[in-house]
Amino acid sequence: MPKSAKPHPGQLWFTIFLGMVLLCFFLGSLGFSSRARLTPMLVSGFGIVLCITEFINTYIKLKKEGVNGQPSERFIKIGGKLPQLVGLFAVYPLLLWMAGYLIATFVECMLGLMLTSYPVKKWIPIISAIVTIVLYITFKQFLLVPLPSGLLGIG
Amino acid sequence: MDMFLQGLQMALTPEALIVIVAGAVVALITGALPGMGAGLTMALAIPLTFYMSPSLSLMLMGAIYTTCVYGGGITAILMEVPGTSGSAATCLDGYPMSKQGKAGTALGISLSASTLGALASTLLLMIFANLLLSIVLLFGPAEYFWTALMGLTIIVSVSQGAFLKGLIAASIGFLLSTVGMDPITGASRYTFGTLYLQDGLDIIPVLLGMFAMSQVLNLVEKKQATISETGKISGSVLEGLLAPFRYLRTTVRSIILGFVIGALPGVGYSVSNWIAYGMAKQTSSHPETFGHGDPEGVLAPEAANNATVGGALVPTLVLGIPGGETTAILLGSMLLHGLTPGLDLYTKNGPIVYAFYISLIVSSLVMFLLGFIAMRHVARLTTVPLSLLIPIIAILIFTGAFSINYNIMDVVMVVVLGLMGYGFRTFGYPPVCAVLAFILGPILEKNFNRAMILSQGTLLGLVPSPLSWALVVLTIVFLGYGIYTEYFRAGRKPIKD
């Protein structure tokens, strides 16, 4: 068995998640014609076997070496601002579609700066406005990208 | 010769020079910012290259790649914080030199050694790429299939301590590449009836998500408010600039070492700088001074890390096998412009390749000038708060992703793949394996099918020549090496580029 760093229980869950993704690919490939399904079926099947092996490896290692009493520093940090920021990033495409580029970017930048605790609070709206305008001019005017104007038609 | 002259014309236009200088300026700053580096900067630049000609796009990427590697040395010397993993060994003697009041000398050594390393490796790239090209002439579908498989195997094998995880990540990347229309039958795969997935996943959202977005999420984890505190510069810069010529043997050895290591897929500048440092120490008549501010301790890693750039480009341009994250991104940008690596690249787009070579030389010279002028100011930029960088980089990634196809779904893909990439990084799955499999997947599948059609369905069609047998053996050797290091050898650390 590989002798690498001590595992974290989260690794087991992530392996299960990847295994599920691969299983979805495998099941999906069953619906293709015999020629088209060869590669995805082989690769996903191979991946599932690897995931099971990795799961067993990690599980044995966890049983053998035990989990640290304290969660590692890394995982304490993940519990902090990361989920909120991920949520913010996940909402951006929706905001982009609904409110358009100008509003979505301004709001995203402002909330992002607030979530990451930018030290000078009064500068947050100003920085957000500058970032939005600079990006808008660069992409819309110079690169001629039709940035989304949203349902409100702004931008 | 005609191609070279055409390339020269392309590389020396005012437009090209502006692109190179702009790329170098940005890369000098981002290279010095720990956590950003060449990969993230190049990924962020890809959407901009979409609006450029293929030659300008390659020149921009080359300028960023070369200069970023150098920029990492500035903060390594002044603050003991390497901007990129390629400058980690520079800290060992660079920072003690700064503490001794010789920061200017150390920065001069770094600048001069990096420039020489970049220039020499570009010349070596020109020579060795042409040599390797004569072998590629013998390639058929089976050989391309085995070369792509070998490239993938090497990357997975050198992800030491994560062999299984590397294979799993590669499986995911490969499967992502199968989304869309099947190249042979034309059947739709995993499209869920949507038009967006019909043409398959675009490489840009995959690169931006897996590399850039996941890196931004990693930055969120960093504890410190700013990357570092500013340092002071003292000591003679000129003395440092001349040092590589005073220690010529160390310079030449480090450049050759960097180039060779760079040419090995999966082993980038993060390894070459340490090996060059170790070699310089071992062969020195005064090894005891290493670690206490020895100029050779700065010279060796800095020459080697920039020499790695040229080496890494050999398999990328000739075989289409990127050795790591940065070359994978470069390859992605090439594919975006319809530039397929290999023989086609040199025969159909020869002038562009030569323009790229020349631009690398120009980039090295621009890097030298910029570094000389700006080294004092770049160090101050590392005091920019991370809380400012994170949202701005994220928005830049989203805007860049949207600007490729004007489709919000690409932004959604960046978020989804960014999360997956972050999970990969957090739990030790090398994201580079997934991205490489995504790039090499279609090459593997297409050439496998072609070889099978040519051989009328017999598996022997995969080994029609001695060259293909040699590639099979090499693939098995690399796979065996991966299994050996994973299960039978202890005390390894994962290699990251």
Side-chain angles (χ1 to χ4, degrees), chain B residues 120 124 250-262 303-304 307-308:
Chain B
L124 290 170
T250 308
T251 310
V252 173
R253 188 180 49 233
S254 304
I255 288 171
I256 294 170
L257 202 70
F259 183 82
V260 172
I261 292 171
T308 310

Side-chain angles (χ1 to χ4, degrees), chain B residues 133-134 136-138 144 317-318 340-349:
Chain B
L133 207 61
S134 54
V136 175
L137 278 170
L138 307 169
Y144 274 115
L317 296 177
V318 182
T340 316
L343 198 59
D344 268 9
L345 182 69
Y346 284 83
T347 49
K348 291 179 186 164
N349 298 296

